[in-house]
Amino acid sequence: LAFRLAKEKDCTIQGVDLAPGKIARANDRKANANFPKVQFAEADATSLEGISDQQFDVATMSLFLHSLPENIRRQVLQEVMRVANKLVIADYVTKQPRSFSGFAVKGIERFAGGEHFQSFKQFSESGGLETLLEEAGLKIVEEQLNPSKTVRVAVVERQTE
């Protein structure tokens, strides 16, 4: 996504991840292409030190929030909304469809391991994105489901009074 946006929108991209291996792979890919406006760094999403308030127009998260413990999800949302004006989130729908795709999602999440699967279950059982965003004072301004109806993509902003 970072390279596509940089190419199509001619914008500056700052990617962060806690996993050094993911950052190394992204930097390897960058080294094989010409994307001077794309940077990747290892960082903890609960504390994006060195990034100013509202520094970015948009932040993105893809299939990330459901994998976090409940208390960390809120911290991540608050910190990301501190540094960005809008957030685009792609994550699982609360109730997976009774279809091959829905069963596949549950199987993949179970296969990811006990702690990960418990976070996924808690995310779903507590109301998923809707509940989490409401508790964080955020609102969905636009959303779309993928064709299999297993993942929702939502554009999120702060609630205005």
Side-chain angles (χ1 to χ4, degrees):
L1 180 61
F3 298 110
R4 183 172 146 206
L5 285 172
K7 182 178 181 180
E8 292 177 9
K9 304 292 184 185
D10 189 34
C11 57
T12 301
I13 306 290
Q14 175 68 52
V16 298
D17 200 295
L18 191 57
K22 289 183 181 180
I23 296 300
R25 283 191 297 281
N27 280 322
D28 287 346
R29 187 167 173 209
K30 179 187 170 192
N32 295 323
N34 183 24
F35 290 102
K37 291 184 172 184
V38 177
Q39 302 297 318
F40 298 103
E42 188 177 336
D44 181 344
T46 63
S47 179
L48 298 169
E49 296 175 12
I51 299 177
S52 304
D53 292 357
Q54 309 304 298
Q55 183 172 332
F56 301 109
D57 294 326
V58 179
T60 64
M61 285 188 229
S62 181
L63 298 174
F64 176 60
L65 286 173
H66 77 272
S67 68
L68 300 173
E70 183 178 13
N71 63 320
I72 302 296
R73 283 184 209 131
R74 288 188 189 94
Q75 284 182 279
V76 167
L77 272 177
Q78 290 170 342
E79 185 65 357
V80 169
M81 290 307 295
R82 179 187 69 78
V83 302
N85 292 311
K86 286 185 183 179
L87 173 60
V88 178
I89 303 174
D91 219 318
Y92 293 122
V93 297
T94 305
K95 293 185 180 181
Q96 288 296 316
R98 297 185 61 78
S99 65
F100 175 78
S101 297
F103 292 122
V105 165
K106 289 179 185 173
I108 289 166
E109 291 302 308
R110 186 178 297 277
F111 185 72
E115 198 173 304
H116 181 100
F117 185 64
Q118 289 306 313
S119 291
F120 167 75
K121 278 181 44 179
Q122 193 283 327
F123 178 79
S124 297
E125 291 168 358
S126 68
L129 277 180
E130 294 91 352
T131 301
L132 184 60
L133 295 172
E134 184 178 315
E135 290 172 354
L138 303 171
K139 65 178 178 177
I140 296 173
V141 294
E142 186 178 337
E143 65 183 324
Q144 187 173 337
L145 291 176
N146 69 336
S148 66
K149 296 182 175 44
T150 56
V151 174
R152 162 193 277 157
V153 178
V155 178
V156 175
E157 295 179 347
R158 287 169 200 77
Q159 288 186 11
T160 54
E161 310 210 6

